[in-house]
Each structure stands twice: as structure tokens, then as C-alpha cells.
Amino acid sequence: MTDTTATLKVLVYSDDVNTRQQVILALGRRPHPDLPELEYVEVATEPVVIQQMDSGEIALAILDGETVPAGGMGIAKQLKDEIFRCPPILVLTGRPEDAWLATWSRAEAAIPQPIDPIQLAEAVVALLRSRIPATS
């Protein structure tokens, strides 16, 4: 049984407020009944991503690979190189063919845009489950 009283902080990074809102609307407050509610941290700039990730409070980061000037894939690689036990990262790619770039960035998952809410929710649930210890 999972502690459902806590919330999980999910960082959503994009320079486009519409992209951030699409992610948040697609996932909702609780993408799966076995997981705690999600609390979103919306971020539009690279320095704030680094600051939030350094806080140790983020359970998952969703980074827009198309953000300018600092794309989500480059930030993902930097985070994986610099943060010990970095939380899982999901990268939003511009097209399905860009998934190989997400592999280079060391992101655990990649979802192409436009966002498919079911595909996004499945990937997020899998990544968050990997962070929560199972108890029986």
C-alpha cells in the first residue's frame, strides 16, 4: 500500500506555457490510483530547473526538448551528469524520430509532441513507480 497522503513534485519545463499546461492537463492530479497526488512546479528557464532539481524535492522532471535557448535534452544530460541519484527525466521531443537524442541525454523516457495523454500518463506512472518503494 502506498502512502497516498504525500504528494509527488513533478517539474514541467518549457518556454511555452501552452506546452506546460498540456502536460499538466494530460496527467491531472492523480494519473494512477496507486500513486500519491502530483504537485506541479512549472518552470520556463534553465537556471530555475537547476535550482529546483538541486532542492532534492522533485520526484520527476518533464523537459521540453524544443525549448529555446536551453533545450530539455541538453539540460537532461547536464542534470544526469551533475546530480547524484538524479530523479527520472522524461523528455518531450519534437517528433518520434528524435527519440535517439533522448537516449543521448540519458532521459529515462521520451514522448513525441503533440502530446498523447495516454502515452504520457503511462510513461509518467512507470517512472514514478520506480521511485516509490513497494510495500505489501
Side-chain angles (χ1 to χ4, degrees):
M1 178 179 213
T2 302
D3 177 10
T4 57
T5 59
T7 59
L8 296 174
K9 284 192 176 184
V10 176
L11 182 138
V12 181
Y13 166 69
S14 179
D15 61 347
D16 183 347
V17 67
N18 293 322
T19 299
R20 295 193 309 262
Q21 287 303 305
Q22 287 174 14
V23 169
I24 292 167
L25 289 172
L27 293 173
R29 296 289 293 158
R30 183 176 250 148
H32 194 278
D34 291 344
L35 293 175
E37 282 192 6
L38 304 183
E39 176 184 337
Y40 296 100
V41 179
E42 290 187 63
V43 178
T45 64
E46 177 186 19
V48 180
V49 171
I50 305 298
Q51 175 188 12
Q52 288 293 323
M53 294 297 284
D54 280 342
S55 75
E57 296 177 0
I58 302 298
L60 169 71
I62 300 174
L63 309 177
D64 182 356
E66 302 299 305
T67 294
V68 176
M73 289 186 229
I75 293 174
K77 183 154 184 8
Q78 178 183 348
L79 293 170
K80 291 296 183 178
D81 287 345
E82 295 179 0
I83 297 177
F84 182 66
R85 293 191 181 133
C86 184
I89 297 174
L90 182 148
V91 174
L92 304 174
T93 62
R95 48 195 191 131
E97 297 82 17
D98 293 337
W100 72 272
L101 283 169
T103 301
W104 165 85
S105 75
R106 300 190 8 227
E108 284 81 0
I111 302 293
Q113 294 187 55
I115 296 167
D116 175 336
I118 294 171
Q119 186 181 17
L120 179 64
E122 287 174 351
V124 165
V125 167
L127 292 173
L128 289 174
R129 278 189 174 151
S130 72
R131 298 276 296 176
I132 298 172
T135 56
S136 13

